[in-house]
Amino acid sequence: MPAQTMEELVSLCKRRGFIFQGSEIYGGLQGTYDYGPLGVELKKNLKEAWWKANVYERDDMEGLDASVLMHRLVLRHSGHESTFSDPMVDSRETNKRYRLDHLLKEQTLLVRQNIATMMRLDNAEDITAIVSAMMEHPDKAQVVLVGAQVIEAETGKPGAWTAPRPFNMMFRTTVGPVADLESYAYLRPETAQGIFVNFKNVLDNTSRRLPFGIAQIGKAFRNEITPRNFIFRVREFEQMEIEFFVRPGEDEAWHEKWLEARLAWWDSVGIPRHQIEILDVPKADLAHYSKRTYDLMYNYPSLGFEEIEGIANRTDYDLGSHTRSQGDMNLSATVLPNEDSTQKLTVLEQTSNTHIVPYVIEPSAGVDRAVLAVLSEAYTVETLENGNERIVLKLRPHLSPIKVAVIPLARNKPELVETARKIKQDLQKLAWGRILLEDSGNVGKAYRRHDEVGTPFCVTVDYGTLGGEAENADLKDTVTVRNRDSMLQDRVAITDLAEYLRSRLFG
Ligand code: ATP
């Protein structure tokens, strides 16, 4: 059974060194988290699994790593300058800012019913409709928020609300030594734009034909109004994105294919199909570039079903909007005129000898939300025969931060420690990931710790291994291997150890 509450996961992450609050010793910077010794391994393994499945194991993909800082014109022509905003409302009493849709969601049904009635809407559950009506009539919305006695969480009392307004979520920064009106750039709000502006570079260097994709993993930054729920909604996060370029007309079929491929991948990292709901995003909620989007909603502990990945049909919007002088391009999307770009982002179709602007299917997953989901699925509390509880992280072995812990029975016996070190070094050479020499000197505690961090196998070196005593002679050069999930132990010859572990870790 997965984790029951977010608190369980937050506590495990802190206790065992997976994830810490960013800038913690100065009181923390809201919306930022740092990955500790185990978190960095888990996150790296997850990203590698994604890259392997989506780049190496396919024949129609290329990889890319574009810069985080982007020219302001990229984000102007992408539409983010004008539309990448969330509805925000301020409290005059506490000076805190709230995302309007989140604020409304937290109210009682009765309060929402009053709001809906005052806004002349029939459905108090349709928060999207309420928000868009309020954004269209912000002055009236202010009167309604106050009149309906919308509660501010900070005080627990009806708030002194301002009129709502859009808040652009992009981080702007100055570039170079001169701070003038033109010398600014953006931290990218999605990795996708780096792929679109490199489309021609990749095409020219690889001679790809449609359909093909470009994959990228990297940081994205959004000045979320209310970052919350641990690493679920943060201001700095990572995305694993694919932009898959197809012929117009083939986009809908490819959209379905990617939906299936992505569900299969989530299953391969331990997130079963029944824990994901597919939301066919209502038209009113679609992003400015999207014709249709499937949101994959994972059942997070304490939160319920929330987005882990969006799979959007972005049409010819992106390549079209970054193309110079699109007048003659016959685009289906509505884009800003562009005389700033130097390129036409088109593909020559050999059969018809015409230039076309491809459509784009975009599976876009958040690394941090994926880490949270994988941890949640793996988190297990078991009651042992003696009545004690053990917490065990049943991670898929390829994701485990530590693949094998090698434990000398006593830390003050150099022969035990040296034998353990030699076994560790030999296993490390196999490049499976981290193998840890665990010489804390207490095997029982080490097992508990490695259960909690998801280490699939513990290898213990004891006096039998050294073969010092006559009655243990047959144990010479063997070790005990303990299985995390079954807790069963096998005695294995050191010469057979690598194959024993390999077949069970990756077999
Ligand atoms: P939400 O509606 O939850 O704000 P979104 O629809 O804006 O998400 P997308 O723009 O589709 O998100 O981004 C793709 C993916 O990036 C999301 O599915 C999510 O996994 C991740 N992501 C987006 N915003 C954040 C964030 N603030 N913190 C962590 N991950 C995020």
Side-chain angles (χ1 to χ4, degrees):
M1 194 144 74
Q4 300 301 295
T5 65
M6 189 68 87
E7 286 67 43
E8 285 174 317
L9 293 181
V10 175
S11 153
L12 175 79
C13 285
K14 185 153 179 144
R15 192 168 70 244
R16 294 300 185 191
F18 280 93
I19 298 164
F20 310 116
Q21 171 71 63
S23 308
E24 193 172 15
I25 64 166
Y26 288 99
L29 179 65
Q30 225 200 345
T32 65
Y33 284 91
D34 299 341
Y35 284 75
L38 295 176
V40 67
E41 296 292 335
L42 171 58
K43 190 164 145 180
K44 181 168 71 66
N45 294 340
L46 194 64
K47 290 190 285 184
E48 276 174 11
W50 184 91
W51 195 264
K52 184 163 157 277
N54 290 294
V55 182
Y56 297 163
E57 289 173 6
R58 296 182 65 106
D59 299 314
D60 52 6
M61 295 287 289
E62 300 289 346
L64 185 80
D65 183 16
S67 54
V68 162
L69 282 175
M70 297 201 87
H71 199 292
R72 61 199 160 84
L73 290 175
V74 173
L75 281 314
R76 178 164 309 159
H77 286 287
S78 69
H80 285 81
E81 261 190 357
S82 52
T83 59
F84 195 62
S85 55
D86 274 340
M88 178 177 73
V89 64
D90 291 342
S91 158
R92 289 212 173 104
E93 191 184 342
T94 61
N95 291 325
K96 292 229 174 290
R97 306 196 134 161
Y98 295 87
R99 216 173 110 170
L100 182 59
D101 52 338
H102 290 171
L103 182 71
L104 295 177
K105 218 175 183 176
E106 283 161 6
Q107 304 302 313
T108 61
L109 185 58
L110 185 65
V111 169
R112 270 206 306 275
Q113 272 162 347
N114 287 338
I115 295 173
T117 313
M118 288 189 240
M119 295 302 299
R120 296 182 195 283
L121 297 166
D122 346 301
N123 187 356
E125 300 291 6
D126 190 349
I127 289 176
T128 309
I130 300 178
V131 169
S132 55
M134 287 189 145
M135 295 307 283
E136 257 176 57
H137 305 285
D139 293 336
K140 180 174 174 192
Q142 181 186 11
V143 175
V144 170
L145 289 169
V146 174
Q149 303 207 319
V150 167
I151 302 288
E152 180 175 5
E154 184 78 5
T155 58
K157 293 194 297 229
W161 302 111
T162 63
R165 62 202 157 94
F167 172 77
N168 194 296
M169 291 195 290
M170 283 196 294
F171 283 98
R172 244 168 90 145
T173 187
T174 47
V175 175
V178 189
D180 61 38
L181 283 178
E182 298 290 297
S183 310
Y184 68 89
Y186 291 109
L187 304 191
R188 64 185 178 195
E190 56 176 18
T191 61
Q193 295 306 321
I195 296 181
F196 299 133
V197 297
N198 278 291
F199 176 75
K200 207 70 182 161
N201 287 336
V202 175
L203 195 65
D204 292 349
N205 284 285
T206 59
S207 314
R208 285 281 179 189
R209 303 231 187 293
L210 296 178
F212 77 97
I214 304 178
Q216 176 168 222
I217 301 177
K219 292 264 183 172
F221 299 81
R222 296 183 187 178
N223 200 1
E224 295 278 353
I225 299 167
T226 40
R228 56 184 178 174
N229 296 324
F230 194 34
I231 53 171
F232 179 81
R233 185 173 301 285
V234 283
R235 291 184 169 134
E236 173 177 344
F237 55 98
E238 268 185 285
Q239 291 184 313
M240 307 183 278
E241 291 198 309
I242 294 162
E243 305 304 327
F244 198 78
F245 303 100
V246 303
R247 286 182 194 86
E250 295 177 4
D251 52 311
E252 290 177 12
W254 273 106
H255 200 189
E256 302 304 318
K257 277 191 208 173
W258 272 109
L259 175 62
E260 288 314 313
R262 295 301 305 141
L263 288 167
W265 184 79
W266 285 112
D267 191 57
S268 76
V269 291
I271 299 184
R273 181 64 190 82
H274 69 262
Q275 283 285 67
I276 295 182
E277 270 179 7
I278 302 166
L279 174 71
D280 193 349
V281 178
K283 281 238 164 340
D285 292 352
L286 288 174
H288 60 278
Y289 47 71
S290 173
K291 163 176 161 184
R292 187 174 190 181
T293 296
Y294 295 124
D295 279 349
L296 305 189
M297 315 289 280
Y298 171 72
N299 190 9
Y300 286 97
S302 306
L303 307 183
F305 287 93
E306 292 284 351
E307 179 179 336
I308 189 167
E309 170 162 2
I311 306 174
N313 182 341
R314 295 180 73 132
T315 71
D316 52 7
Y317 177 87
D318 300 281
L319 295 182
S321 63
H322 289 304
T323 283
R324 182 175 183 81
S325 312
Q326 316 99 327
D328 51 346
M329 298 292 7
N330 202 15
L331 294 174
S332 74
T334 311
V335 298
L336 274 183
N338 191 338
E339 297 305 321
D340 299 312
S341 163
T342 57
Q343 293 285 340
K344 286 210 180 297
L345 304 183
T346 56
V347 172
L348 178 65
E349 279 288 71
Q350 309 255 304
T351 39
S352 57
N353 202 28
T354 50
H355 284 273
I356 61 160
V357 179
Y359 267 46
V360 179
I361 305 299
E362 176 197 66
S364 169
V367 177
D368 311 80
R369 289 187 189 179
V371 166
L372 194 57
V374 162
L375 281 173
S376 172
E377 280 304 311
Y379 188 94
T380 314
V381 181
E382 285 179 356
T383 307
L384 304 176
E385 277 174 14
N386 62 8
N388 288 347
E389 273 194 345
R390 78 160 181 153
I391 295 174
V392 51
L393 214 47
K394 295 195 171 179
L395 291 169
R396 298 277 163 104
H398 68 294
L399 300 181
S400 288
I402 299 167
K403 303 291 181 246
V404 182
V406 187
I407 312 170
L409 189 66
R411 71 197 305 190
N412 54 0
K413 288 278 176 273
E415 306 97 296
L416 290 176
V417 177
E418 276 322 302
T419 307
R421 192 187 311 281
K422 169 85 176 53
I423 291 173
K424 181 244 140 117
Q425 283 167 351
D426 287 347
L427 291 176
Q428 193 64 69
K429 286 185 194 133
L430 301 172
W432 294 339
R434 182 143 209 212
I435 312 291
L436 191 83
L437 178 68
E438 173 73 69
D439 58 353
S440 55
N442 182 329
V443 177
K445 268 199 182 148
Y447 285 166
R448 263 204 306 285
R449 169 175 133 80
H450 283 285
D451 282 349
E452 268 199 30
V453 304
T455 307
F457 292 101
C458 287
V459 170
T460 302
V461 175
D462 56 21
Y463 294 104
T465 315
L466 303 179
E469 292 159 24
E471 67 268 26
N472 283 343
D474 56 330
L475 296 183
K476 184 167 173 3
D477 296 328
T478 65
V479 286
T480 300
V481 184
R482 176 183 179 272
N483 181 307
R484 173 195 72 195
D485 297 341
S486 66
M487 293 187 287
L488 295 176
Q489 305 191 359
D490 275 342
R491 197 77 195 180
V492 179
I494 294 175
T495 45
D496 299 337
L497 183 62
E499 182 49 29
Y500 176 97
L501 292 169
R502 192 206 56 75
S503 61
R504 286 160 180 80
L505 285 168
F506 310 110

